[in-house]
Amino acid sequence: MITFLVSFLAALVCEFVHSDNLPVAWCYNNPACNFPNWPNIAPQYCNGSSQSPIDIVTAQVQGNPNLTQFILTGFDANTTFTSITNSGTSVVVSLDEDIMSVQGGDLPGLYVSVQFHLHWGSSSSLPGSEHTVDGKQYAMELHIVNLHSTYDGNVSAALAANDSSALAVLGFFIEGTDEADKTNSWDIFTSFLSNIPNSGNTYTDIMDQITMNSLLEGVNKTKYYRYQGSLTTPPCNEDVIWTVFKEPIKVNNNLINRFCTKVFAKTAKASDLNVNNFRGVQPLNGRVVTSQVEQTGSSAAPSLVPTSISSLSLILLLTSLSCL
Ligand SMILES: *[C@@H]1O[C@H](CO)[C@@H](O)[C@H](O)[C@H]1NC(C)=O
Ligand SMILES: *[C@@H]1O[C@H](CO)[C@@H](O)[C@H](O)[C@H]1NC(C)=O
Ligand SMILES: *[C@@H]1O[C@H](CO)[C@@H](O)[C@H](O)[C@H]1NC(C)=O
Ligand SMILES: *[C@@H]1O[C@H](CO)[C@@H](O)[C@H](O)[C@H]1NC(C)=O
Ligand SMILES: *[C@@H]1O[C@H](CO)[C@@H](O)[C@H](O)[C@H]1NC(C)=O
Ligand SMILES: *[C@@H]1O[C@H](CO)[C@@H](O)[C@H](O)[C@H]1NC(C)=O
Ligand SMILES: [Zn+2]
């Protein structure tokens, strides 16, 4: 009941965010400016036909042998996180662009990691991921934003270029658990939230304490979905090669709850708590989601190859059912 009231009061908040091209008034919790209205507020590009997030229907995922391993540089360095900021709509960690990068995995070139941020619901049991899998929404979703190296760190130049491969975003689901935080990384990371209660607050004393990989523990990074989509916030540019990892990060429920109780959309008043900062799923419009071709092992005869896509779908379907 308290959660419901907080969500309701938070609905009065409307954020004003300025992009380089046009001032866009958008928000998450007020019907006047929440995501169903983004196609009116920012028709270019939020009313486009390749929008994100999407629901991933595992039975329709197609096998793609090009989706090989990533080469992830700097994910084990403890000097990459430079600051953490309350943007009013999310919590954003800036990354040292000289350290972290992503290539491989069928990406067209080298992508430099710029920042990561998160999306959450209104409690560990009221979910807030952006992508869903067969309709299942996870507790949270973490997005690592990577910019193609040709843009030399200039995100505005990349967005102005209307280039469908300008950005490569890595999406990780977060699932709640009652188990304690083994590495302490999520505990340390979420402890910084108390330093950035208000929109615009930035805290910089976060260096040398955690690595990117320590926040991604338990996720097999060779198993992921791939599709072509957009930024999930206005102006929703259709410039993103999406990678959504299949296995969720498991985070203690109490730590997940820090996001919806410590971070405010404007000022530290209960009525402004930042909750439910996710966009609802968008139509596929004919887009295809691909994934790794399932390894069939040494016994796989060539005659089995034509059925590999449907057997992959079946395996994915069975896997998803066992996770419900
Ligand atoms: C959004 O796109 C649809 C289909 O192209 C169109 O019918 C509709 O008028 C557009 N809405 C806005 C607000 O531009
Ligand atoms: C895999 O890559 C090759 C070479 O770039 C390309 O011709 C082929 O269409 C790709 N396959 C898929 C399923 O995307
Ligand atoms: C970034 O790109 C924009 C648009 O192309 C340009 O106006 C701006 O000067 C660039 N910024 C830097 C720091 O190069
Ligand atoms: C952006 O690129 C898409 C796909 O190439 C194209 O359909 C669209 O017209 C372009 N938009 C602008 C504003 O250039
Ligand atoms: C950060 O990494 C360096 C080099 O690997 C290591 O010497 C140092 O102890 C680490 N710092 C912390 C706080 O773990
Ligand atoms: C990740 O999954 C692949 C494919 O199933 C498997 O070969 C590999 O051993 C897994 N890696 C880890 C660290 O579990
Ligand atoms: Zn995001």
Side-chain angles (χ1 to χ4, degrees):
M1 191 56 182
I2 288 168
T3 307
F4 169 77
L5 279 175
V6 168
S7 312
F8 177 73
L9 291 170
L12 303 173
V13 179
C14 187
E15 282 299 311
F16 290 83
V17 173
H18 300 270
S19 81
D20 282 354
N21 305 321
L22 71 170
V24 182
W26 62 275
C27 71
Y28 285 111
N29 290 302
N30 179 339
C33 49
N34 198 359
F35 62 81
N37 247 329
W38 295 354
N40 303 314
I41 292 170
Q44 186 190 24
Y45 300 88
C46 298
N47 196 35
S49 56
S50 300
Q51 291 289 293
S52 293
I54 57 165
D55 178 42
I56 296 164
V57 179
T58 54
Q60 284 164 17
V61 171
Q62 295 185 8
N64 179 354
N66 297 344
L67 298 178
T68 51
Q69 279 195 38
F70 289 103
I71 301 164
L72 303 172
T73 305
F75 278 54
D76 287 314
N78 61 16
T79 52
T80 49
F81 297 8
T82 57
S83 65
I84 184 167
T85 298
N86 178 343
S87 68
T89 51
S90 186
V91 164
V92 183
V93 173
S94 298
L95 301 170
D96 183 331
E97 293 174 25
D98 292 330
I99 300 177
M100 253 177 73
S101 64
V102 178
Q103 55 188 314
D106 205 29
L107 295 176
L110 174 70
Y111 287 76
V112 175
S113 308
V114 179
Q115 53 108 312
F116 75 87
H117 61 267
L118 302 107
H119 301 268
W120 57 87
S122 48
S123 86
S124 60
S125 54
L126 294 168
S129 73
E130 298 215 289
H131 290 90
T132 58
V133 179
D134 293 329
K136 176 187 164 136
Q137 187 179 25
Y138 286 84
M140 293 183 64
E141 190 168 326
L142 184 155
H143 289 157
I144 306 176
V145 180
N146 309 281
L147 178 64
H148 198 286
S149 56
T150 54
Y151 295 104
D152 204 18
N154 190 334
V155 176
S156 343
L159 295 182
N162 190 30
D163 164 6
S164 62
S165 57
L167 293 161
V169 181
L170 306 183
F172 293 86
F173 293 122
I174 294 173
E175 187 167 77
T177 173
D178 287 330
E179 280 172 42
D181 179 21
K182 283 193 214 83
T183 64
N184 245 19
S185 296
W186 277 93
D187 193 8
I188 295 170
F189 175 56
T190 53
S191 73
F192 299 142
L193 298 178
S194 310
N195 298 98
I196 53 162
N198 303 332
S199 178
N201 287 168
T202 292
Y203 183 67
T204 53
D205 192 15
I206 66 170
M207 290 284 264
D208 300 341
Q209 302 189 51
I210 28 182
T211 66
M212 193 73 248
N213 266 342
S214 70
L215 295 179
L216 309 177
E217 199 167 81
V219 178
N220 188 325
K221 298 192 197 74
T222 70
K223 298 176 179 175
Y224 56 88
Y225 302 107
R226 168 63 48 77
Y227 79 98
Q228 190 66 45
S230 74
L231 304 180
T232 65
T233 58
C236 311
N237 302 59
E238 296 182 337
D239 288 354
V240 182
I241 299 174
W242 273 98
T243 300
V244 178
F245 291 89
K246 294 182 183 176
E247 297 179 354
I249 308 166
K250 299 227 167 107
V251 177
N252 179 275
N253 288 315
N254 296 327
L255 303 183
I256 288 178
N257 282 332
R258 287 180 178 171
F259 287 92
C260 42
T261 55
K262 297 208 181 292
V263 184
F264 296 83
K266 277 187 179 163
T267 52
K269 289 185 294 178
S271 59
D272 285 347
L273 270 176
N274 189 3
V275 293
N276 298 322
N277 60 344
F278 61 89
R279 186 188 197 186
V281 295
Q282 303 294 307
L284 262 186
N285 295 321
R287 283 175 292 169
V288 173
V289 180
T290 61
S291 184
Q292 287 72 35
V293 177
E294 196 72 10
Q295 300 301 309
T296 47
S298 54
S299 64
S303 62
L304 291 177
V305 169
T307 62
S308 64
I309 289 173
S310 53
S311 60
L312 170 69
S313 305
L314 181 62
I315 289 163
L316 292 175
L317 183 64
L318 292 172
T319 309
S320 70
L321 289 174
S322 70
C323 295
L324 290 175

